[in-house]
Amino acid sequence: SCLCIYSFHIWVEFMFINNVNQCQWIRQKFETPGIMQFTSAEKRTLLARLIRSTRFEDFLARKWSSEKRFGLEGCEVLIPALKTIIDKSSAAGIDSVIMGMPHRGRLNVLANVIRKDLDQIFCQFDPKLEAADEGSGDVKYHLGMYHERINRETDKNITLSLVANPSHLEAVDPVVQGKTKAEQFYRGDTQGKKVMSILMHGDAAFAGQGVVYETFHLSELPSYTTNGTIHVVVNNQIGFTTDPRVARSSPYPTDVARVVNAPIFHVNADDPEAVMYVCRVAAEWRATFNKDVVIDLVCYRRFGHNEMDEPMFTQPLMYKQIHRQEHVLKKYSEKLIAEGVVTLQEFEEEVAKYDKICEEAYTSSKDEKILHIRHWLDSPWPDFFTAQGEPKSMSCLPTGLDEEVLQHIGQIASSVPLEGFNIHPGVSRILRGRADLVKSRQMDWALGEYIAFGSLLKDGIHVRLSGQDVERGTFSHRHHVLHDQEVDKRICVPMNHLWENQASYTVCNSSLSEYGVVGFELGFAMANPNALILWEAQFGDFHNTAQCIIDQFISSGQAKWVRNNGIVLLLPHGMEGMGPEHSSARPERFLQMTKDDPDHIPVYFDVQQLYECNWIVVNCSTPANYCHVLRRQILLPFRKPLIIFTPKSLLRHPDARSGFDDLAKGTKFKRLIPDEGPASQSPGQVKRVIFCAGKVYYELAKERKQQNLDRDVAIIRLEQISPFPFDLVSEEVEKYGNAELIWCQEEHKNMGYYDYVRPRFLTVVANKKPIWYVGRDPAAAPATGNKSTHLNELRKFMDTLAQRLAAMFST
Ligand SMILES: Cc1ncc(C[n+]2csc(CCOP(=O)(O)OP(=O)(O)O)c2C)c(N)n1
Ligand SMILES: *[C@@H]1O[C@H](CO)[C@@H](O)[C@H](O)[C@H]1NC(C)=O
Ligand SMILES: *[C@@H]1O[C@H](CO)[C@@H](O)[C@H](O)[C@H]1NC(C)=O
Ligand SMILES: *[C@@H]1O[C@H](CO)[C@@H](O)[C@H](O)[C@H]1NC(C)=O
Ligand SMILES: *[C@@H]1O[C@H](CO)[C@@H](O)[C@H](O)[C@H]1NC(C)=O
Ligand SMILES: *[C@@H]1O[C@H](CO)[C@@H](O)[C@H](O)[C@H]1NC(C)=O
Ligand SMILES: [Mg+2]
């Protein structure tokens, strides 16, 4: 019913599209008699491309018969298919194509679509090759690529990039979309007429991986759309050893695309002309309607999953048939010879020509002794790195601001810059509260964030904040988008009314997805170093739905692909009695994945220490420090992911305020906040030093006051947890030389920061002193769901602390 079969080799699903024009357009493309005609020149180009695709795999198979390469045999037509899409899109005005793809045929795409130098590909098969760059590197079929070249068919320049990806299938999809959106955004390509993306998929992964669905659902959202993506599925009707009938519950692997009304073109990959036709139509569809489209290349996999694999173990009959299949190149060349389009001699010459190219590249690849992963960057930032100094020479980065900047941002943050705009009385009250704070030269959390964003915008840094309900803020503290109470959809974003030549601010409530949206923002942050890209979790707990992006890209991306990324994750965290799933952002997970050595005190701190780490983990206790760390992120001469555990109740805590002086010119982010009260006046007298992070500080300070221990107990806040501020902790430990050391956290003992900080503290004191733990007992769930248990735990926590403090009089 929804399927129309044309010419036996093409069948199209489109009748579910609820737009008459679009349906008519497709019908006309397939039902007009004689429309599927090709000139001799077009046929010859197609044959030449098929020769390259086929002979490339043959060459690799001959030279390295026992190496994994995930060859394209059985779907050689993928190369001419992609080239057709790119030709047609280039003709329609596209000059930048960003691609994402899995393992199968990737080397072939690098060689024959992106046109990476063949010797650079071949040299990677050499086991003696040495790496020129720091980091762990990655296998050859994961690396990315960026290449500018002339498109021969259109004579126009085109930039092609392939985004590096992990083994995790489909994880790169939202990353490609984010990078594409960013390039469109920074070029002012609001209609997607210059920059586009192509995503390739395997049949099993396309049907099975949920992130595919999440990515489709971003495709029409204003702040996430790339105005149409062309999807190409290499449908070899098998996933590793598994048949489709046990791998999916839908008739086609492509059914997921129906949710966004994308037309789906199924085509027999053994009919190269049918494939070319379908690819042309898909490119025209994208250029005409700027919507997603799917090409399903129905093919087979000639060998096993990889070159080492035996398919006859599991699919004996299927593979007997596959072995009888004639190669598509043989069939198509015979057809063209019979038609008189080429002669046998011309065909053989073309084959010999390409084989010679391969041989020559093979010879010169032997000269390559060093692998420069840097040459495989998908997003080079040439101007950024050359403009920066040596990180070693930088010890401090003042991130303070002029008083007039603070005042100006404060004033806009507490007003409505549009005339006759009717805001909600509740919001009005919040804005008045902000105005009062500004008058008294103070800031709360929301204002600290406002100042960070606003001041960066002033310096031309684009700021983008994305995530569920971020416009208002989950805890209703932010209100970056004001809604007119009388006029439907009339909104005001005061942050975009700060200065005349400011950069623009994007704040967008996302779809209810973490995996897809975090991947998207990571991709967005890849495009431009001079931008602050933030993703905020609704509650920190939910980030683990995006765990794959965090593990595979954020924590290890630079080590694998020498690629910087400055994405910021804001993760609301705190044990406030809201149950097991609205409490913990799982700091222990992030800390476990940081690479700083617990047993060695590094030689460099501050900027150099940040340069060496894989990401930065902070838990700020004051709005000013939060503002500083966001500004530092951009002032650094490199980019590192930044993970911030952000407060919930602290947002409104009357003590959790900062003065404008804390952000004055010359001030900077404090990696550690020392005790500044009476205890610090006579440190020799101090009996206990409590180290902590975040909100728990305010509870500790209250308890200390109640017990009248201000002279005896010092409380020190660790604001940058990782990389660990060994130098500053060391100073504090020496200063309070007679004191017992305590680590206090509100999280359970097997969670939070304890496991991370303990060995580092012991390294600081050279194992000469213990560090005592005060906090909740170990547990399986991060927090209890029972209110009275929560209150009991809290009481017990404070009691233990009180005992620990009081105990000093007896020692
Ligand atoms: C998320 C994830 N799960 C499992 C794997 C292991 N794996 C690698 S390839 C593959 C089969 C993929 O089949 P398909 O998507 O049809 O691609 P094909 O290899 O057939 O081209 C599997 C299960 C993986 N790489 N990623
Ligand atoms: C392509 O780019 C090169 C280098 O950027 C430039 O010199 C050339 O003029 C461009 N060609 C076209 C056709 O735009
Ligand atoms: C591209 O997407 C934007 C944002 O949703 C939309 O405003 C614009 O109309 C789209 N362009 C086309 C040509 O569809
Ligand atoms: C975004 O979400 C907030 C709730 O946090 C809501 O008030 C606002 O209207 C939403 N904005 C849009 C454009 O959907
Ligand atoms: C980190 O900060 C959060 C929010 O301010 C707080 O709830 C949490 O207790 C802090 N972590 C530690 C170990 O103190
Ligand atoms: C909650 O915990 C209290 C004790 O802390 C216990 O008496 C009560 O039964 C618990 N309630 C539920 C519903 O588990
Ligand atoms: Mg498959």
Side-chain angles (χ1 to χ4, degrees), residues 344-571:
L344 176 62
Q345 192 194 349
E346 282 168 336
F347 168 65
E348 285 171 348
E349 276 168 13
E350 189 72 27
V351 171
K353 196 173 98 193
Y354 186 67
D355 286 357
K356 186 155 165 272
I357 292 174
C358 289
E359 279 299 342
E360 281 169 6
Y362 176 70
T363 309
S364 66
S365 78
K366 303 248 177 205
D367 299 338
E368 299 282 339
K369 297 279 177 284
I370 298 171
L371 170 65
H372 295 274
I373 298 183
R374 231 164 266 284
H375 297 168
W376 294 81
L377 268 176
D378 46 27
S379 322
W381 297 337
D383 305 337
F384 176 68
F385 289 106
T386 50
Q388 306 289 347
E390 260 290 287
K392 283 196 181 98
S393 61
M394 304 193 161
S395 58
C396 76
L397 289 169
T399 38
L401 291 159
D402 286 330
E403 179 73 16
E404 64 195 54
V405 172
L406 296 173
Q407 287 292 344
H408 179 71
I409 298 175
Q411 187 246 319
I412 297 286
S414 45
S415 63
V416 188
L418 291 186
E419 293 288 322
F421 198 89
N422 316 292
I423 57 169
H424 190 276
V427 176
S428 186
R429 208 162 38 243
I430 290 172
L431 297 189
R432 273 200 307 278
R434 271 185 202 163
D436 291 344
L437 277 175
V438 174
K439 234 176 263 144
S440 57
R441 298 186 68 251
Q442 286 215 314
M443 74 191 84
D444 59 7
W445 205 271
L447 199 50
E449 183 179 81
Y450 225 107
I451 292 168
F453 291 4
S455 60
L456 291 171
L457 293 170
K458 179 171 187 285
D459 295 339
I461 304 295
H462 171 57
V463 179
R464 174 180 166 103
L465 172 62
S466 156
Q468 292 149 29
D469 308 298
V470 293
E471 297 176 10
R472 190 199 72 177
T474 301
F475 311 103
S476 203
H477 68 293
R478 186 176 282 131
H479 296 286
H480 282 184
V481 180
L482 307 177
H483 293 259
D484 195 309
Q485 300 293 307
E486 310 286 339
V487 187
D488 189 32
K489 297 204 178 102
R490 184 174 184 216
I491 58 164
C492 172
V493 182
M495 195 83 83
N496 276 323
H497 296 265
L498 282 166
W499 283 282
E500 269 196 9
N501 294 319
Q502 68 168 85
S504 76
Y505 175 55
T506 308
V507 55
C508 37
N509 288 347
S510 73
S511 82
L512 213 170
S513 140
E514 286 83 21
Y515 192 173
V517 176
V518 178
F520 188 96
E521 301 311 331
L522 178 101
F524 205 104
M526 272 163 59
N528 176 5
N530 296 315
L532 184 70
I533 309 301
L534 310 98
W535 176 78
E536 183 176 71
Q538 183 112 84
F539 283 87
D541 311 63
F542 300 114
H543 82 259
N544 62 5
T545 305
Q547 197 67 51
C548 174
I549 300 293
I550 292 167
D551 292 350
Q552 264 56 46
F553 292 86
I554 302 183
S555 80
S556 59
Q558 187 181 352
K560 295 191 287 190
W561 308 315
V562 297
R563 173 172 84 191
N564 279 216
N565 196 297
I567 191 172
V568 180
L569 304 188
L570 302 177
L571 308 175

Side-chain angles (χ1 to χ4, degrees), residues 615-751:
W615 57 15
I616 305 164
V617 181
V618 304
N619 195 0
C620 303
S621 64
T622 69
N625 226 21
Y626 176 49
C627 178
H628 279 303
V629 81
L630 291 176
R631 288 180 46 74
R632 183 182 77 168
Q633 189 68 354
I634 291 301
L635 289 172
L636 287 172
F638 46 82
R639 293 291 173 261
K640 289 284 167 181
L642 171 64
I643 319 297
I644 311 185
F645 300 108
T646 57
K648 297 180 296 183
S649 68
L650 209 58
L651 294 169
R652 296 189 172 74
H653 199 297
D655 290 343
R657 299 241 167 103
S658 301
F660 276 17
D661 290 340
D662 298 322
L663 278 181
K665 205 87 198 153
T667 56
K668 59 175 185 163
F669 174 68
K670 292 179 175 156
R671 289 178 290 147
L672 172 148
I673 304 185
D675 196 308
E676 276 156 4
S680 66
Q681 304 303 314
S682 41
Q685 313 290 310
V686 169
K687 296 283 164 48
R688 298 279 190 282
V689 186
I690 305 178
F691 288 88
C692 67
K695 180 193 69 148
V696 76
Y697 168 78
Y698 296 96
E699 283 148 14
L700 292 172
K702 199 167 131 207
E703 185 68 24
R704 175 173 66 176
K705 185 152 233 92
Q706 268 170 14
Q707 291 204 34
N708 214 1
L709 294 173
D710 281 359
R711 310 197 145 273
D712 311 291
V713 175
I715 307 177
I716 294 162
R717 285 173 270 178
L718 216 55
E719 302 274 302
Q720 179 177 300
I721 324 258
S722 174
F724 193 71
F726 283 98
D727 53 337
L728 304 180
V729 169
S730 206
E731 274 173 29
E732 296 299 316
V733 168
E734 267 165 42
K735 179 172 172 188
Y736 301 101
N738 300 325
E740 188 180 86
L741 307 179
I742 295 172
W743 175 259
C744 177
Q745 67 176 28
E746 57 171 9
E747 293 84 1
H748 288 284
K749 194 170 183 178
N750 55 331
M751 300 172 193

Side-chain angles (χ1 to χ4, degrees), residues 313-330:
F313 288 157
T314 47
Q315 274 79 12
L317 298 187
M318 180 182 185
Y319 273 81
K320 260 183 217 152
Q321 243 182 39
I322 285 177
H323 292 324
R324 282 199 296 269
Q325 283 284 320
E326 259 196 299
H327 292 247
V328 65
L329 177 59
K330 183 156 189 297

Side-chain angles (χ1 to χ4, degrees), residues 593-610:
M593 282 194 280
T594 63
K595 70 164 220 193
D596 70 337
D597 187 337
D599 303 324
H600 290 102
I601 299 188
V603 184
Y604 296 103
F605 291 99
D606 219 339
V607 176
Q608 176 68 13
Q609 196 189 11
L610 297 179

